[in-house]
Tab-separated table of all heavy atoms in Angstrom:
chain	number	residue	atom	x	y	z
B	1311	GLN	N	153.307	101.227	110.515
B	1311	GLN	CA	153.247	102.582	109.993
B	1311	GLN	C	154.533	103.358	110.314
B	1311	GLN	O	155.125	104.054	109.506
B	1311	GLN	CB	152.096	103.343	110.634
B	1311	GLN	CG	150.770	103.126	109.959
B	1311	GLN	CD	149.673	103.892	110.657
B	1311	GLN	OE1	149.879	105.041	111.044
B	1311	GLN	NE2	148.540	103.247	110.928
B	1312	ILE	N	154.980	103.270	111.581
B	1312	ILE	CA	156.173	103.989	112.016
B	1312	ILE	C	157.380	103.497	111.124
B	1312	ILE	O	158.125	104.301	110.623
B	1312	ILE	CB	156.519	103.754	113.496
B	1312	ILE	CG1	155.323	104.337	114.413
B	1312	ILE	CG2	157.840	104.354	113.833
B	1312	ILE	CD1	155.505	104.066	115.849
B	1313	LYS	N	157.522	102.213	111.119
B	1313	LYS	CA	158.624	101.617	110.333
B	1313	LYS	C	158.608	102.080	108.922
B	1313	LYS	O	159.699	102.447	108.365
B	1313	LYS	CB	158.521	100.128	110.470
B	1313	LYS	CG	159.434	99.294	109.573
B	1313	LYS	CD	159.159	97.866	109.651
B	1313	LYS	CE	158.079	97.310	108.709
B	1313	LYS	NZ	158.435	97.357	107.329
B	1314	ASP	N	157.483	102.044	108.272
B	1314	ASP	CA	157.410	102.401	106.854
B	1314	ASP	C	157.602	103.893	106.630
B	1314	ASP	O	158.174	104.320	105.610
B	1314	ASP	CB	156.017	101.946	106.228
B	1314	ASP	CG	155.962	100.441	106.233
B	1314	ASP	OD1	157.033	99.796	106.262
B	1314	ASP	OD2	154.832	99.903	106.157
B	1315	ARG	N	157.051	104.687	107.566
B	1315	ARG	CA	157.285	106.163	107.386
B	1315	ARG	C	158.776	106.505	107.487
B	1315	ARG	O	159.289	107.301	106.718
B	1315	ARG	CB	156.522	106.947	108.458
B	1315	ARG	CG	155.112	107.338	107.936
B	1315	ARG	CD	154.440	108.297	108.837
B	1315	ARG	NE	155.126	109.574	108.936
B	1315	ARG	CZ	154.847	110.551	109.818
B	1315	ARG	NH1	153.807	110.366	110.698
B	1315	ARG	NH2	155.538	111.722	109.854
B	1316	ILE	N	159.451	105.844	108.438
B	1316	ILE	CA	160.878	106.141	108.555
B	1316	ILE	C	161.594	105.731	107.287
B	1316	ILE	O	162.457	106.400	106.769
B	1316	ILE	CB	161.487	105.409	109.805
B	1316	ILE	CG1	160.908	106.096	111.116
B	1316	ILE	CG2	162.971	105.487	109.836
B	1316	ILE	CD1	161.264	105.368	112.400
B	1317	LYS	N	161.237	104.565	106.776
B	1317	LYS	CA	161.883	104.008	105.572
B	1317	LYS	C	161.604	104.973	104.382
B	1317	LYS	O	162.492	105.361	103.619
B	1317	LYS	CB	161.344	102.660	105.255
B	1317	LYS	CG	162.059	101.941	104.145
B	1317	LYS	CD	161.695	100.494	104.161
B	1317	LYS	CE	161.436	99.984	102.833
B	1317	LYS	NZ	160.957	98.594	102.837
B	1318	ASN	N	160.306	105.424	104.162
B	1318	ASN	CA	159.959	106.204	103.011
B	1318	ASN	C	160.465	107.642	103.140
B	1318	ASN	O	160.898	108.207	102.157
B	1318	ASN	CB	158.448	106.167	102.752
B	1318	ASN	CG	158.008	104.723	102.466
B	1318	ASN	OD1	158.768	103.905	101.967
B	1318	ASN	ND2	156.756	104.416	102.779
B	1319	GLU	N	160.308	108.217	104.273
B	1319	GLU	CA	160.610	109.636	104.421
B	1319	GLU	C	162.109	109.840	104.708
B	1319	GLU	O	162.668	110.807	104.213
B	1319	GLU	CB	159.821	110.233	105.545
B	1319	GLU	CG	158.317	110.356	105.274
B	1319	GLU	CD	157.485	110.873	106.397
B	1319	GLU	OE1	158.039	111.653	107.236
B	1319	GLU	OE2	156.316	110.504	106.500
B	1320	LEU	N	162.666	109.024	105.514
B	1320	LEU	CA	164.068	109.274	105.965
B	1320	LEU	C	165.080	108.361	105.202
B	1320	LEU	O	166.309	108.637	105.251
B	1320	LEU	CB	164.210	109.097	107.476
B	1320	LEU	CG	163.239	109.877	108.337
B	1320	LEU	CD1	163.447	109.585	109.796
B	1320	LEU	CD2	163.317	111.323	108.005
B	1321	GLY	N	164.616	107.339	104.544
B	1321	GLY	CA	165.492	106.515	103.772
B	1321	GLY	C	166.251	105.405	104.362
B	1321	GLY	O	167.142	104.841	103.782
B	1322	PHE	N	166.012	105.185	105.657
B	1322	PHE	CA	166.672	103.987	106.325
B	1322	PHE	C	165.709	103.104	107.020
B	1322	PHE	O	164.570	103.520	107.230
B	1322	PHE	CB	167.764	104.506	107.291
B	1322	PHE	CG	167.332	105.418	108.401
B	1322	PHE	CD1	166.910	104.833	109.597
B	1322	PHE	CD2	167.257	106.746	108.266
B	1322	PHE	CE1	166.464	105.608	110.612
B	1322	PHE	CE2	166.849	107.613	109.295
B	1322	PHE	CZ	166.446	107.016	110.490
B	1323	THR	N	166.109	101.898	107.309
B	1323	THR	CA	165.193	100.876	107.894
B	1323	THR	C	165.411	100.792	109.389
B	1323	THR	O	166.472	101.068	109.906
B	1323	THR	CB	165.360	99.554	107.248
B	1323	THR	OG1	166.674	99.071	107.523
B	1323	THR	CG2	165.093	99.544	105.759
B	1324	VAL	N	164.304	100.439	110.068
B	1324	VAL	CA	164.366	100.125	111.522
B	1324	VAL	C	163.734	98.804	111.810
B	1324	VAL	O	162.920	98.296	111.008
B	1324	VAL	CB	163.685	101.200	112.310
B	1324	VAL	CG1	164.299	102.561	112.179
B	1324	VAL	CG2	162.196	101.307	111.949
B	1325	SER	N	164.065	98.226	112.957
B	1325	SER	CA	163.354	97.118	113.481
B	1325	SER	C	162.577	97.483	114.743
B	1325	SER	O	163.134	98.187	115.493
B	1325	SER	CB	164.333	96.001	113.864
B	1325	SER	OG	164.994	95.459	112.730
B	1326	VAL	N	161.296	97.081	114.747
B	1326	VAL	CA	160.482	97.464	115.871
B	1326	VAL	C	160.131	96.219	116.710
B	1326	VAL	O	159.738	95.225	116.090
B	1326	VAL	CB	159.168	98.129	115.417
B	1326	VAL	CG1	158.366	98.662	116.624
B	1326	VAL	CG2	159.483	99.240	114.447
B	1327	GLY	N	160.356	96.310	118.042
B	1327	GLY	CA	159.910	95.226	118.926
B	1327	GLY	C	158.732	95.736	119.737
B	1327	GLY	O	158.714	96.890	120.119
B	1328	ILE	N	157.790	94.842	119.953
B	1328	ILE	CA	156.613	95.213	120.734
B	1328	ILE	C	156.442	94.257	121.928
B	1328	ILE	O	156.530	93.019	121.714
B	1328	ILE	CB	155.312	95.156	119.882
B	1328	ILE	CG1	155.528	95.885	118.559
B	1328	ILE	CG2	154.125	95.734	120.690
B	1328	ILE	CD1	154.302	95.818	117.637
B	1329	SER	N	156.200	94.730	123.128
B	1329	SER	CA	155.962	93.892	124.200
B	1329	SER	C	155.285	94.708	125.341
B	1329	SER	O	154.890	95.895	125.103
B	1329	SER	CB	157.230	93.181	124.738
B	1329	SER	OG	156.813	92.273	125.688
B	1330	SER	N	155.249	94.142	126.566
B	1330	SER	CA	154.658	94.769	127.656
B	1330	SER	C	155.646	95.450	128.531
B	1330	SER	O	155.298	96.063	129.569
B	1330	SER	CB	153.721	93.808	128.430
B	1330	SER	OG	154.468	92.662	128.767
B	1331	ASN	N	156.973	95.296	128.271
B	1331	ASN	CA	157.957	96.007	129.040
B	1331	ASN	C	159.144	96.350	128.116
B	1331	ASN	O	159.239	95.866	127.025
B	1331	ASN	CB	158.370	95.389	130.404
B	1331	ASN	CG	159.053	94.069	130.123
B	1331	ASN	OD1	159.973	93.892	129.251
B	1331	ASN	ND2	158.671	93.019	130.853
B	1332	LYS	N	160.069	97.190	128.641
B	1332	LYS	CA	161.168	97.693	127.843
B	1332	LYS	C	162.102	96.582	127.473
B	1332	LYS	O	162.631	96.510	126.335
B	1332	LYS	CB	161.891	98.806	128.562
B	1332	LYS	CG	161.208	100.144	128.424
B	1332	LYS	CD	161.529	101.137	129.506
B	1332	LYS	CE	162.940	101.662	129.484
B	1332	LYS	NZ	163.195	102.591	130.547
B	1333	LEU	N	162.436	95.729	128.417
B	1333	LEU	CA	163.375	94.672	128.139
B	1333	LEU	C	162.938	93.762	127.072
B	1333	LEU	O	163.688	93.453	126.102
B	1333	LEU	CB	163.673	93.880	129.442
B	1333	LEU	CG	164.723	92.832	129.121
B	1333	LEU	CD1	166.123	93.278	129.388
B	1333	LEU	CD2	164.405	91.517	129.937
B	1334	LEU	N	161.718	93.244	127.162
B	1334	LEU	CA	161.189	92.376	126.128
B	1334	LEU	C	161.031	93.068	124.759
B	1334	LEU	O	161.330	92.453	123.739
B	1334	LEU	CB	159.822	91.753	126.539
B	1334	LEU	CG	159.941	90.682	127.667
B	1334	LEU	CD1	158.514	90.269	128.085
B	1334	LEU	CD2	160.762	89.506	127.250
B	1335	ALA	N	160.624	94.321	124.783
B	1335	ALA	CA	160.539	95.111	123.593
B	1335	ALA	C	161.923	95.109	122.879
B	1335	ALA	O	162.011	94.915	121.675
B	1335	ALA	CB	159.951	96.462	123.779
B	1336	LYS	N	162.933	95.397	123.697
B	1336	LYS	CA	164.318	95.442	123.188
B	1336	LYS	C	164.784	94.096	122.626
B	1336	LYS	O	165.373	94.004	121.597
B	1336	LYS	CB	165.322	95.945	124.270
B	1336	LYS	CG	166.701	96.208	123.699
B	1336	LYS	CD	167.484	97.090	124.692
B	1336	LYS	CE	168.993	97.013	124.312
B	1336	LYS	NZ	169.296	97.480	122.980
B	1337	MET	N	164.461	93.070	123.342
B	1337	MET	CA	164.826	91.692	122.876
B	1337	MET	C	164.114	91.427	121.528
B	1337	MET	O	164.614	90.847	120.662
B	1337	MET	CB	164.382	90.631	123.927
B	1337	MET	CG	165.217	90.618	125.206
B	1337	MET	SD	166.955	90.157	125.050
B	1337	MET	CE	166.880	88.538	124.386
B	1338	ALA	N	162.835	91.878	121.495
B	1338	ALA	CA	161.990	91.612	120.359
B	1338	ALA	C	162.527	92.253	119.053
B	1338	ALA	O	162.608	91.638	118.016
B	1338	ALA	CB	160.553	92.027	120.526
B	1339	SER	N	162.963	93.528	119.219
B	1339	SER	CA	163.448	94.202	117.977
B	1339	SER	C	164.698	93.518	117.466
B	1339	SER	O	165.087	93.707	116.284
B	1339	SER	CB	163.770	95.688	118.322
B	1339	SER	OG	164.896	95.810	119.177
B	1340	ASP	N	165.385	92.782	118.299
B	1340	ASP	CA	166.590	92.108	117.918
B	1340	ASP	C	166.342	90.742	117.170
B	1340	ASP	O	167.208	90.249	116.533
B	1340	ASP	CB	167.451	91.820	119.164
B	1340	ASP	CG	168.917	91.904	118.895
B	1340	ASP	OD1	169.259	92.795	118.037
B	1340	ASP	OD2	169.691	91.191	119.507
B	1341	LEU	N	165.114	90.317	117.323
B	1341	LEU	CA	164.772	88.964	116.799
B	1341	LEU	C	164.766	88.946	115.239
B	1341	LEU	O	165.159	87.962	114.647
B	1341	LEU	CB	163.399	88.462	117.354
B	1341	LEU	CG	163.399	88.099	118.832
B	1341	LEU	CD1	162.030	87.708	119.268
B	1341	LEU	CD2	164.360	86.988	119.101
B	1342	LYS	N	164.234	90.042	114.737
B	1342	LYS	CA	164.191	90.043	113.257
B	1342	LYS	C	164.628	91.417	112.734
B	1342	LYS	O	164.066	92.436	113.135
B	1342	LYS	CB	162.688	89.763	112.807
B	1342	LYS	CG	162.567	89.006	111.534
B	1342	LYS	CD	161.271	88.871	110.856
B	1342	LYS	CE	160.061	88.396	111.600
B	1342	LYS	NZ	158.835	88.740	110.868
B	1343	LYS	N	165.543	91.406	111.837
B	1343	LYS	CA	166.068	92.606	111.226
B	1343	LYS	C	166.646	92.345	109.853
B	1343	LYS	O	167.108	91.235	109.647
B	1343	LYS	CB	166.982	93.443	112.121
B	1343	LYS	CG	168.111	92.655	112.782
B	1343	LYS	CD	168.790	93.476	113.851
B	1343	LYS	CE	169.842	92.658	114.546
B	1343	LYS	NZ	170.490	93.388	115.611
B	1344	PRO	N	166.741	93.228	108.935
B	1344	PRO	CA	166.255	94.658	109.063
B	1344	PRO	C	164.800	94.747	108.729
B	1344	PRO	O	164.188	93.757	108.250
B	1344	PRO	CB	167.106	95.343	107.988
B	1344	PRO	CG	167.326	94.235	106.914
B	1344	PRO	CD	167.334	92.963	107.621
B	1345	ASP	N	164.243	95.944	108.893
B	1345	ASP	CA	162.975	96.365	108.304
B	1345	ASP	C	161.877	95.443	108.784
B	1345	ASP	O	161.129	94.797	107.967
B	1345	ASP	CB	163.067	96.387	106.817
B	1345	ASP	CG	161.955	97.182	106.151
B	1345	ASP	OD1	161.340	98.025	106.873
B	1345	ASP	OD2	161.681	96.951	104.938
B	1346	ALA	N	161.673	95.232	110.103
B	1346	ALA	CA	160.710	94.257	110.588
B	1346	ALA	C	159.972	94.733	111.832
B	1346	ALA	O	160.530	95.580	112.574
B	1346	ALA	CB	161.432	92.908	110.834
B	1347	VAL	N	158.844	94.114	112.115
B	1347	VAL	CA	158.119	94.378	113.298
B	1347	VAL	C	157.928	92.946	113.960
B	1347	VAL	O	157.481	92.034	113.358
B	1347	VAL	CB	156.683	95.000	113.072
B	1347	VAL	CG1	155.911	95.056	114.350
B	1347	VAL	CG2	156.877	96.363	112.453
B	1348	THR	N	158.312	92.848	115.268
B	1348	THR	CA	158.217	91.563	115.969
B	1348	THR	C	157.605	91.792	117.343
B	1348	THR	O	158.035	92.723	118.048
B	1348	THR	CB	159.639	90.981	116.155
B	1348	THR	OG1	160.367	91.078	114.912
B	1348	THR	CG2	159.575	89.517	116.589
B	1349	THR	N	156.689	90.970	117.683
B	1349	THR	CA	156.120	91.008	119.028
B	1349	THR	C	156.811	89.969	119.945
B	1349	THR	O	157.343	88.926	119.474
B	1349	THR	CB	154.617	90.713	119.064
B	1349	THR	OG1	154.399	89.396	118.613
B	1349	THR	CG2	153.858	91.703	118.275
B	1350	LEU	N	156.909	90.308	121.187
B	1350	LEU	CA	157.393	89.306	122.152
B	1350	LEU	C	156.685	89.562	123.468
B	1350	LEU	O	157.203	90.086	124.433
B	1350	LEU	CB	158.964	89.499	122.286
B	1350	LEU	CG	159.665	88.540	123.260
B	1350	LEU	CD1	159.509	87.042	122.823
B	1350	LEU	CD2	161.129	88.841	123.397
B	1351	TYR	N	155.406	89.180	123.459
B	1351	TYR	CA	154.650	89.274	124.691
B	1351	TYR	C	154.947	88.148	125.624
B	1351	TYR	O	155.608	87.175	125.243
B	1351	TYR	CB	153.086	89.348	124.395
B	1351	TYR	CG	152.684	90.645	123.734
B	1351	TYR	CD1	152.287	90.642	122.408
B	1351	TYR	CD2	152.674	91.834	124.491
B	1351	TYR	CE1	151.909	91.854	121.790
B	1351	TYR	CE2	152.296	93.013	123.875
B	1351	TYR	CZ	151.875	93.015	122.527
B	1351	TYR	OH	151.509	94.173	121.929
B	1352	ARG	N	154.556	88.268	126.863
B	1352	ARG	CA	154.919	87.279	127.879
B	1352	ARG	C	154.600	85.832	127.422
B	1352	ARG	O	155.360	84.928	127.672
B	1352	ARG	CB	154.214	87.582	129.213
B	1352	ARG	CG	154.775	88.798	129.907
B	1352	ARG	CD	156.190	88.551	130.495
B	1352	ARG	NE	156.218	87.553	131.583
B	1352	ARG	CZ	155.997	87.894	132.818
B	1352	ARG	NH1	155.643	89.125	133.168
B	1352	ARG	NH2	156.074	87.033	133.722
B	1353	ASP	N	153.438	85.648	126.783
B	1353	ASP	CA	153.071	84.260	126.400
B	1353	ASP	C	153.824	83.794	125.146
B	1353	ASP	O	153.603	82.693	124.742
B	1353	ASP	CB	151.511	84.194	126.177
B	1353	ASP	CG	151.007	85.157	125.143
B	1353	ASP	OD1	151.865	85.867	124.597
B	1353	ASP	OD2	149.792	85.328	125.027
B	1354	GLU	N	154.705	84.643	124.649
B	1354	GLU	CA	155.527	84.174	123.447
B	1354	GLU	C	156.927	83.962	123.851
B	1354	GLU	O	157.733	83.516	123.018
B	1354	GLU	CB	155.496	85.295	122.392
B	1354	GLU	CG	154.128	85.571	121.822
B	1354	GLU	CD	154.223	86.785	120.872
B	1354	GLU	OE1	154.439	87.925	121.291
B	1354	GLU	OE2	154.116	86.546	119.611
B	1355	ILE	N	157.265	84.235	125.115
B	1355	ILE	CA	158.646	84.101	125.575
B	1355	ILE	C	159.231	82.750	125.296
B	1355	ILE	O	160.349	82.535	124.760
B	1355	ILE	CB	158.764	84.417	127.044
B	1355	ILE	CG1	158.467	85.824	127.355
B	1355	ILE	CG2	160.168	84.147	127.557
B	1355	ILE	CD1	158.566	86.166	128.873
B	1356	GLU	N	158.441	81.691	125.650
B	1356	GLU	CA	158.935	80.373	125.669
B	1356	GLU	C	159.368	79.990	124.223
B	1356	GLU	O	160.441	79.489	123.961
B	1356	GLU	CB	157.854	79.451	126.088
B	1356	GLU	CG	158.349	78.070	126.422
B	1356	GLU	CD	157.324	77.200	127.085
B	1356	GLU	OE1	156.323	77.760	127.697
B	1356	GLU	OE2	157.414	75.954	127.105
B	1357	GLU	N	158.461	80.357	123.260
B	1357	GLU	CA	158.696	79.943	121.892
B	1357	GLU	C	159.781	80.796	121.204
B	1357	GLU	O	160.616	80.286	120.480
B	1357	GLU	CB	157.310	80.098	121.203
B	1357	GLU	CG	157.272	80.065	119.685
B	1357	GLU	CD	156.116	80.786	119.085
B	1357	GLU	OE1	155.200	81.177	119.930
B	1357	GLU	OE2	156.108	81.008	117.911
B	1358	LYS	N	159.775	82.093	121.497
B	1358	LYS	CA	160.661	82.975	120.736
B	1358	LYS	C	161.963	83.331	121.475
B	1358	LYS	O	162.966	83.615	120.735
B	1358	LYS	CB	159.949	84.286	120.453
B	1358	LYS	CG	158.800	84.198	119.474
B	1358	LYS	CD	158.243	85.538	119.136
B	1358	LYS	CE	157.120	85.436	118.090
B	1358	LYS	NZ	156.453	86.752	117.956
B	1359	MET	N	161.963	83.346	122.767
B	1359	MET	CA	163.159	83.831	123.458
B	1359	MET	C	163.938	82.719	124.209
B	1359	MET	O	165.191	82.711	124.277
B	1359	MET	CB	162.826	84.883	124.473
B	1359	MET	CG	163.993	85.578	125.036
B	1359	MET	SD	163.560	87.070	125.996
B	1359	MET	CE	163.241	86.386	127.633
B	1360	TRP	N	163.234	81.693	124.751
B	1360	TRP	CA	163.922	80.749	125.566
B	1360	TRP	C	164.846	79.799	124.714
B	1360	TRP	O	165.773	79.212	125.228
B	1360	TRP	CB	162.871	79.805	126.313
B	1360	TRP	CG	162.330	80.608	127.490
B	1360	TRP	CD1	162.678	81.911	127.841
B	1360	TRP	CD2	161.439	80.103	128.512
B	1360	TRP	NE1	161.996	82.206	129.036
B	1360	TRP	CE2	161.275	81.164	129.471
B	1360	TRP	CE3	160.785	78.885	128.683
B	1360	TRP	CZ2	160.360	81.003	130.528
B	1360	TRP	CZ3	159.908	78.783	129.804
B	1360	TRP	CH2	159.749	79.828	130.715
B	1361	VAL	N	164.584	79.703	123.437
B	1361	VAL	CA	165.329	78.849	122.563
B	1361	VAL	C	166.724	79.492	122.247
B	1361	VAL	O	167.682	78.812	121.742
B	1361	VAL	CB	164.659	78.552	121.233
B	1361	VAL	CG1	163.400	77.680	121.495
B	1361	VAL	CG2	164.219	79.819	120.529
B	1362	LEU	N	166.912	80.758	122.523
B	1362	LEU	CA	168.176	81.452	122.173
B	1362	LEU	C	169.244	81.129	123.187
B	1362	LEU	O	168.987	80.842	124.368
B	1362	LEU	CB	167.930	82.980	122.192
B	1362	LEU	CG	166.880	83.539	121.204
B	1362	LEU	CD1	166.690	85.024	121.435
B	1362	LEU	CD2	167.286	83.258	119.789
B	1363	PRO	N	170.508	81.172	122.698
B	1363	PRO	CA	171.625	80.994	123.673
B	1363	PRO	C	171.606	82.104	124.721
B	1363	PRO	O	171.197	83.267	124.412
B	1363	PRO	CB	172.910	81.147	122.790
B	1363	PRO	CG	172.486	81.738	121.520
B	1363	PRO	CD	171.050	81.348	121.350
B	1364	VAL	N	172.081	81.775	125.922
B	1364	VAL	CA	171.971	82.736	127.036
B	1364	VAL	C	172.738	84.010	126.784
B	1364	VAL	O	172.312	85.068	127.255
B	1364	VAL	CB	172.391	82.034	128.311
B	1364	VAL	CG1	173.899	81.887	128.428
B	1364	VAL	CG2	171.769	82.746	129.563
B	1365	ARG	N	173.747	83.941	125.867
B	1365	ARG	CA	174.526	85.109	125.540
B	1365	ARG	C	173.685	86.201	124.915
B	1365	ARG	O	173.978	87.384	124.941
B	1365	ARG	CB	175.690	84.712	124.644
B	1365	ARG	CG	176.577	85.749	124.165
B	1365	ARG	CD	177.539	86.212	125.285
B	1365	ARG	NE	178.392	87.314	124.899
B	1365	ARG	CZ	179.644	87.142	124.540
B	1365	ARG	NH1	180.213	85.977	124.571
B	1365	ARG	NH2	180.357	88.179	124.178
Side-chain angles (χ1 to χ4, degrees):
Chain B
Q1311 275 179 44
I1312 296 176
K1313 169 184 90 67
D1314 293 340
R1315 268 191 64 189
I1316 292 174
K1317 187 167 137 186
N1318 297 336
E1319 290 175 29
L1320 308 180
F1322 59 89
T1323 62
V1324 296
S1325 293
V1326 186
I1328 310 175
S1329 187
S1330 50
N1331 65 45
K1332 279 156 71 181
L1333 180 91
L1334 287 177
K1336 187 163 166 57
M1337 292 294 299
S1339 69
D1340 216 32
L1341 289 177
K1342 215 190 308 163
K1343 47 190 176 182
D1345 197 21
V1347 174
T1348 315
T1349 61
L1350 182 59
Y1351 288 110
R1352 287 293 290 279
D1353 55 7
E1354 297 175 290
I1355 294 179
E1356 195 172 340
E1357 166 204 350
K1358 291 185 179 173
M1359 189 170 86
W1360 283 4
V1361 292
L1362 301 173
V1364 77
R1365 179 73 182 260

